[in-house]
């Protein structure tokens, strides 16, 4: 009984650490969302702190759910988080994390290039270039204002939600089902992990549609383009989570946004 209680207590500490880390991104998203909420007449009279709380409410709840799911499944499937290991009394390998940084940053940059090529291929079918033309001052200001949200919510919180909270549970369930219907396996099969990577990557893509719908009329081509681009990124990040760590995926995700913002700013200023 004591060993079980100790185990759950350690997992709870690890979950709390990831939750606090993820809430940094939730706060960044909420702050970025306040101007949009103020544009709604019914909300314009509310105070700034109230608007921040409203903007953060949904993500705060989702983060708690997915952190818990990941804490219950990721360690069992061999999916690793240095922060979780540190907070739960395990053995985080920070040296391994530092060695993975060049891979993470490089992969983030490569992903931006790949996504750009695919996005250009979809341009004739989506015509997104007609909205917020390059060089527009308001678009540049909004892009710069979005940097904390992109790096903190995108780089940290989305990885906790999608990789830790979706990919790990799917991998665990597939492994559990495999052990029930076939011979027992001591660790999740690679095929099951790839299914989990792909499923969480598609969920990552679908999760971007509501925000897109608030700005554009969704067409079949635009939906396919958005889901595909984010799935490409999600598969690579899921592979990093599997082969390296959750934090490595976070760095790669943040690096993707750093390159995206840098290239976008240069394009807006020059063209």
């Amino acid at each position: 009984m004591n060993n079980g209680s100790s185990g759950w207590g350690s997992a709870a500490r690890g979950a709390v650490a990831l939750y606090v880390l993820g809430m940094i991104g939730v706060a960044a998203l909420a702050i970025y969302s306040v101007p949009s909420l103020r544009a709604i007449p019914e909300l314009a009279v509310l105070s700034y702190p109230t608007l921040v709380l409203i903007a953060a409410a949904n993500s705060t709840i989702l983060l708690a759910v997915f952190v818990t799911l990941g804490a219950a499944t990721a360690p069992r499937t061999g999916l690793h988080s240095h922060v979780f290991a540190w907070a739960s009394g395990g053995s985080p390998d920070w040296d391994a994390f530092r060695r993975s940084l060049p891979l993470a940053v490089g992969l983030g940059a490569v992903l931006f290039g790949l996504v750009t090529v695919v996005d250009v291929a979809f341009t004739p079918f989506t015509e997104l270039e007609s909205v917020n033309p390059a060089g527009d001052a308001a678009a540049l200001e909004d892009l710069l204002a979005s940097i904390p949200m992109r790096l903190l919510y995108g780089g940290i919180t989305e990885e906790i939600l999608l990789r830790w909270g979706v990919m790990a549970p799917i991998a665990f369930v597939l492994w559990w089902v495999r052990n029930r219907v076939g011979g027992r396996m001591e660790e999740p099969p690679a095929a099951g992990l790839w299914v989990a990577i792909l499923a969480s990557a598609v969920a990552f893509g679908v999760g971007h549609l509501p925000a897109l719908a608030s700005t554009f009329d969704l067409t079949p081509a635009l939906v396919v383009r958005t889901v595909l681009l984010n799935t490409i990124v999600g598969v690579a990040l899921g592979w990093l989570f599997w082969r390296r760590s959750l934090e490595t995926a976070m760095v790669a995700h943040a690096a993707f946004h750093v390159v995206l913002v840098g290239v976008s700013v240069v394009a807006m200023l020059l063209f």
Side-chain angles (χ1 to χ4, degrees):
M1 175 67 78
N2 289 336
N3 290 336
S5 299
S6 177
W8 281 112
S10 297
R13 290 192 296 272
V16 168
L18 283 179
Y19 182 77
V20 171
L21 184 62
M23 282 301 298
I24 297 173
V26 171
L29 174 64
I31 292 170
Y32 174 75
S33 302
V34 166
S36 298
L37 293 180
R38 283 202 185 279
I40 302 174
E42 294 80 5
L43 301 180
V45 298
L46 298 178
S47 67
Y48 184 88
T50 301
L51 291 174
V52 170
L53 291 175
I54 291 173
N58 187 52
S59 295
T60 299
I61 296 171
L62 287 177
L63 183 63
V65 172
F66 288 118
V67 164
T68 302
L69 290 173
T73 56
R76 300 184 185 185
T77 55
L79 296 169
H80 186 66
S81 162
H82 299 292
V83 171
F84 183 86
W86 164 75
S88 60
S91 301
D93 191 346
W94 295 114
D95 286 337
F97 173 59
R98 283 189 287 270
R99 291 193 299 271
S100 73
L101 291 179
L103 172 64
V105 173
L107 185 57
V110 169
L111 283 172
F112 172 77
L114 178 59
V115 164
T116 299
V117 170
V118 177
D119 196 16
V120 169
F122 271 90
T123 298
F125 308 103
T126 58
E127 300 181 352
L128 293 181
E129 72 280 2
S130 62
V131 181
N132 285 336
D136 183 77
L140 178 59
E141 182 179 353
D142 181 70
L143 178 65
L144 295 177
S146 73
I147 291 175
M149 180 269 294
R150 291 175 181 274
L151 297 182
L152 299 176
Y153 185 83
I156 297 175
T157 309
E158 284 187 345
E159 290 309 299
I160 295 173
L161 291 171
L162 273 300
R163 251 54 68 181
W164 183 260
V166 175
M167 177 181 152
I170 291 175
F172 178 79
V173 169
L174 292 175
W175 181 32
W176 182 85
V177 171
R178 172 66 176 78
N179 284 340
R180 288 285 180 174
V181 300
R184 181 168 181 80
M185 303 183 70
E186 294 300 321
E187 59 183 25
L193 281 161
W194 277 114
V195 170
I197 288 171
L198 181 59
S200 62
V202 172
F204 180 57
V206 172
H208 284 78
L209 293 178
L212 188 69
S214 66
T215 306
F216 302 98
D217 293 328
L218 294 184
T219 63
L222 186 55
V223 169
V224 171
R225 169 257 185 197
T226 301
V227 173
L228 177 61
L229 294 183
N230 286 285
T231 296
I232 291 171
V233 175
V235 166
L237 297 176
W239 177 82
L240 277 180
F241 178 30
W242 176 25
R243 292 303 190 185
R244 295 297 190 272
S245 68
L246 179 64
E247 291 75 19
T248 306
M250 290 177 179
V251 172
H253 196 153
F256 174 91
H257 282 292
V258 168
V259 178
L260 184 154
V261 170
V263 172
S264 298
V265 169
V266 170
M268 288 179 177
L269 294 176
L270 294 181
F271 299 104

